[in-house]
Amino acid sequence: MNTTSDHPSYTDDELAEFDVTVLLRYGLTAAPGPRRTALFGDGAAAAAVILDRLGTQPRSVAFLAEVVRAGGLAYAAELPEPLPRPEAATVVRDWLEAATQLAAGAPADEAAARWLGAVATIIEVKHLTRARTARN
């Protein structure tokens, strides 16, 4: 962790160790501020690292975000395969179930959908960066 600035930076290995479930529990329904920022910043980056390492495609996470937006967290948490890869499905199902326990209704569903959209975007950036690096 970089302790010389107000904005710490983490390696992918450090992000992979974050407890995304806890960040969701405390950040999803939080008012704008540090908890929400942690969820949408470090939490989204951590989730992206975890899912990327499990071979998840960004479009799968983006699709899941739309499912959450349309059907809600509870509906998405009950899907037999919220993501195509079994390991990723298990991880994301745990996150969805934790978010569902908040029982915060439509505002939490929308926040979770936006968060999943952010995770998908970060995974996409990681893929594009790797492809660009491989070409050089």
Side-chain angles (χ1 to χ4, degrees):
M1 178 169 82
N2 177 0
T3 58
T4 61
S5 76
D6 291 336
H7 303 288
S9 59
Y10 301 99
T11 66
D12 279 5
D13 288 339
E14 290 170 325
L15 287 167
E17 296 298 320
F18 276 41
D19 190 337
V20 175
T21 303
V22 169
L23 291 169
L24 279 165
R25 274 195 200 119
Y26 291 101
L28 195 61
T29 58
R35 289 181 181 174
R36 180 61 70 99
T37 299
L39 174 62
F40 277 83
D42 295 336
V49 167
I50 293 165
L51 292 177
D52 184 48
R53 287 182 173 184
L54 293 173
T56 305
Q57 293 297 312
R59 66 181 173 264
S60 298
V61 180
F63 181 77
L64 180 59
E66 291 306 315
V67 170
V68 169
R69 185 170 279 117
L73 281 163
Y75 174 79
E78 292 178 5
L79 291 172
E81 287 186 348
L83 292 175
R85 294 183 173 267
E87 300 86 4
T90 299
V91 168
V92 83
R93 186 177 299 106
D94 289 344
W95 296 343
L96 293 170
E97 287 173 354
T100 300
Q101 293 171 2
L102 297 170
D109 294 345
E110 180 57 30
R114 284 194 342 269
W115 179 77
L116 286 165
V119 172
T121 299
I122 295 168
I123 295 171
E124 178 70 17
V125 169
K126 291 178 81 50
H127 286 201
L128 292 171
T129 302
R130 277 197 301 267
R132 193 171 297 132
T133 302
R135 284 194 307 259
N136 294 331

